[in-house]
């Protein structure tokens, strides 16, 4: 009650690290031990599948792309090392594709490219091309994930995709997302609708929830009250977990336990403004989240998390893959 919001997480993480050292446990093992005080069913540890933000739009880029993040998820691999290698190769192949088209290959604050593209479909087609040129199979080895950040598009009861000069009502945007899902190997859609469009989220989940991961970030903000509402309304089927949205490690673990105990998936996430602290890598392993979203395999504050996960895999030989 005496600490401001900018201080809470720093103090909480420092306490977490000191506690793990006092008990002579790796950070992820201590997090797992702590987690099981919150969970109804005990959980083990596991290595997450990465979700790599390789192409940027929306408020993350100065281009016409309305959706904020275009990610790849290397799912068809037996271990984390192979999954990350695939992601790195696809990322650099995408850079080569953009160069050949005389498009920018400078990267944004999450490490992804931000070229001047005209449409969502153009971006998706370039990613498919990069996956294939890197020698991988879209839809069996590598999937695409979208972060629509639809709250940024919403106003006056409509979703305005200014880059494509289109406006959609809720049901029309759901239809548009469903069409994209049918044309491209999209495994996950984050913030497909506005954070307060609860009826729309329920309809989106009815339409796509059986074969697509529907992730709430702005919808849930790692907050137990909003997660409970989503569970009750059958809105979304996955929760993005950001420690600094809620403030402390303990509150984060409570949000994760609520999510997992109600059979929603969890994705541990970075933020745009990051440091080289690797706590979220250990968190994802310690709670067996199955997935981690921590940017493209470029920029040191993103790569640090991947390196930490590789060290854990090498030393402890943990299981790898998305929870079912």
């Amino acid at each position: 009650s005496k600490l401001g919001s900018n201080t809470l997480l720093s103090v909480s993480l420092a306490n977490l690290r000191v506690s793990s050292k006092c008990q002579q446990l790796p950070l992820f093992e201590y997090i797992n031990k702590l987690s099981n005080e919150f969970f109804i069913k005990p959980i083990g540890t596991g290595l997450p599948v990465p979700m790599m933000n390789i192409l940027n739009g929306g408020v993350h880029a100065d281009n016409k792309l309305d959706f904020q993040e275009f990610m790849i998820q290397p799912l068809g691999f037996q271990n984390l090392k192979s999954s990350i290698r695939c992601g790195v190769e696809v990322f650099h192949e995408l850079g080569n594709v953009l160069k050949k088209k005389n498009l920018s290959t400078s990267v944004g604050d999450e490490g992804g490219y931000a070229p001047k593209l005209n449409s969502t479909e153009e971006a998706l087609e370039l990613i498919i091309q990069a996956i294939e040129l890197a020698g991988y199979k879209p839809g069996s080895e590598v999937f695409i994930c979208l972060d629509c950040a639809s709250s940024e598009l919403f106003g006056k009861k409509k979703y305005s995709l200014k880059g494509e000069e289109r406006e959609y009502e809720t049901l029309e945007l759901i239809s548009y997302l469903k069409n994209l899902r049918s044309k491209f190997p999209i495994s996950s859609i984050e913030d497909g609708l506005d954070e307060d469009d609860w009826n729309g989220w329920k309809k989106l989940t009815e339409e796509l929830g059986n074969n697509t991961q529907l992730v709430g970030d702005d919808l849930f903000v790692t907050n137990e009250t909003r997660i409970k509402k989503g569970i009750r309304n059958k809105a979304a089927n996955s929760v993005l977990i950001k420690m600094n949205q809620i403030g402390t490690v303990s509150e984060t673990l409570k949000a994760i336990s609520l999510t997992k105990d109600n059979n929603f998936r969890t994705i541990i996430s970075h933020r745009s403004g990051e440091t080289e602290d690797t706590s979220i890598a250990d968190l994802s392993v310690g709670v067996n989240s199955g997935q981690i979203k921590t940017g493209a395999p470029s920029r040191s504050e993103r790569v640090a998390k991947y390196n930490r996960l590789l060290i854990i895999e090498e030393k402890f030989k943990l299981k790898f893959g998305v929870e079912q």
Side-chain angles (χ1 to χ4, degrees), residues 3-10 244 247:
L3 297 177
S5 58
N6 290 335
T7 311
L8 278 172
L9 184 59
S10 301
N244 77 329

Side-chain angles (χ1 to χ4, degrees), residues 77-255:
F77 298 89
Q78 296 298 309
N79 54 57
L80 178 68
K81 184 177 180 180
S82 299
S83 180
I84 289 179
R85 176 179 175 175
C86 167
V88 171
E89 290 174 349
V90 172
F91 174 71
H92 287 289
E93 198 58 63
L94 179 60
N96 293 334
V97 169
L98 295 174
K99 280 180 188 175
K100 288 175 184 176
K101 293 180 177 291
N102 295 315
L103 293 166
S104 171
T105 55
S106 60
V107 299
D109 59 5
E110 292 184 3
Y113 302 116
K116 300 281 187 183
L117 301 179
N118 294 313
S119 71
T120 295
E121 292 205 17
E122 183 183 3
L124 292 170
E125 285 163 0
L126 288 176
I127 292 171
I128 293 293
Q129 189 178 343
I131 292 169
E132 292 174 339
L133 287 170
Y136 297 102
K137 297 175 183 176
S140 59
E141 291 179 314
V142 188
F143 292 80
I144 297 173
C145 307
L146 298 177
D147 178 2
C148 304
S150 289
S151 292
E152 301 285 346
L153 310 174
F154 190 68
K156 297 180 180 178
K157 297 184 179 180
K158 288 193 175 181
Y159 294 89
S160 179
L161 276 65
K162 293 178 182 177
E164 299 188 29
E165 298 181 346
R166 298 180 186 176
E167 275 195 345
Y168 294 116
E169 293 183 349
T170 295
L171 294 180
E172 292 171 329
L173 183 55
I174 291 171
S175 179
Y176 175 67
L177 292 173
K178 194 173 180 180
N179 182 52
L180 287 178
R181 176 69 179 83
S182 69
K183 292 170 72 173
F184 297 95
I186 295 169
S187 62
S188 180
I189 298 172
E190 180 183 330
D191 282 345
L193 295 171
D194 178 65
E195 62 200 56
D196 290 315
D197 191 354
W198 288 98
N199 289 332
W201 270 98
K202 186 175 180 179
K203 181 64 175 175
L204 176 65
T205 307
E206 289 170 358
E207 291 287 325
L208 283 171
N210 64 328
N211 63 4
T212 309
Q213 180 171 264
L214 301 173
V215 185
D217 174 19
D218 295 337
L219 180 68
F220 294 132
V221 291
T222 320
N223 183 286
E224 281 188 272
T225 301
R226 292 187 69 92
I227 295 170
K228 285 176 182 175
K229 185 172 181 178
I231 292 164
R232 191 167 59 248
N233 292 341
K234 296 182 180 178
N237 56 29
S238 309
V239 179
L240 201 73
I241 300 291
K242 294 175 175 175
M243 285 195 283
N244 77 329
Q245 274 182 333
I246 194 64
T248 64
V249 174
S250 295
E251 288 170 301
T252 303
L253 293 176
K254 287 178 183 177

